Amino acid sequence: MDIIDDFDIQILKQLEKDGRMAYSAIATTLGISNTMVHQRISRLTEQGILTGIKPVLDEKKIGYDWGAFTGITLEKDHDSDRIIEELKKIPEVTECYYISGTYTLYLKIIAKNHEHMRKVLYDKIDNISGIAKTDSIMELGCAFKRNIIL
């Protein structure tokens, strides 16, 4: 496991507040050099700790009012890699997890409305060869979403 120190944690906390923050602003806030911030962010990226700075979209504000969590049961678990590749082709599937228990995979799906959700589930996901069953729970809103707190 890669070790991160207090400077790394402080830099990550600044980026968590605003991923667009200039390195010089982070340096000023933390009382360290701009070069140190750049080197630390480069190292965190190379180590795979920091995987990118991406926008966080509010799906509801861009017209995606429906969300679902869907458990998928496969006919054969060893088909999971192929099925995951097919799921990646469906833009409404925003997250996919391997899980233990009743299902093999667990998805987060977003859709514009109930008809759109039905089409995603029935016309796209259920038509993937090797999927035996889906079980969806409709999402009624996100109470909070965050990264791990350092």
Side-chain angles (χ1 to χ4, degrees):
M1 181 174 155
D2 298 305
I3 307 281
I4 60 174
D5 64 16
D6 190 52
F7 283 117
D8 295 328
I9 291 169
Q10 294 306 314
I11 291 168
L12 291 170
K13 284 182 177 181
Q14 293 300 311
L15 290 172
E16 179 72 21
K17 290 179 194 172
D18 180 2
R20 299 174 296 168
M21 182 179 265
Y23 291 177
S24 58
I26 295 171
T28 300
T29 300
L30 300 180
I32 58 178
S33 73
N34 190 23
T35 302
M36 182 177 179
V37 172
H38 187 274
Q39 289 172 340
R40 294 293 183 114
I41 290 174
S42 293
R43 182 178 50 78
L44 291 167
T45 302
E46 288 169 11
Q47 292 176 334
I49 295 169
L50 183 61
T51 60
I53 306 296
K54 300 173 187 172
V56 177
L57 301 177
D58 183 332
E59 292 115 355
K60 298 206 183 305
K61 288 185 179 176
I62 58 172
Y64 288 83
D65 288 332
W66 278 62
F69 297 97
T70 300
I72 295 183
T73 304
L74 304 181
E75 291 171 2
K76 298 177 182 171
D77 284 349
H78 69 268
D79 282 344
S80 63
D81 289 342
R82 179 188 56 76
I83 290 167
I84 289 167
E85 288 306 310
E86 292 299 314
L87 290 167
K88 285 180 182 178
K89 296 175 186 175
I90 303 171
E92 296 89 350
V93 176
T94 59
E95 298 176 47
C96 178
Y97 297 91
Y98 294 103
I99 61 169
S100 63
T102 305
Y103 310 110
T104 305
L105 301 171
Y106 209 66
L107 310 178
K108 171 70 191 258
I109 304 168
I110 63 165
K112 294 181 178 184
N113 52 45
H114 73 279
E115 182 65 20
H116 184 197
M117 182 64 74
R118 186 194 63 74
K119 286 180 179 180
V120 171
L121 288 168
Y122 294 170
D123 298 345
K124 294 181 180 182
I125 294 174
D126 283 349
N127 282 325
I128 297 173
S129 174
I131 292 181
K133 178 183 167 192
T134 62
D135 186 14
S136 296
I137 301 168
M138 292 303 132
E139 173 240 314
L140 300 176
C142 181
F144 68 88
K145 186 176 181 178
R146 65 179 176 207
N147 286 324
I148 187 75
I149 297 173
L150 300 172

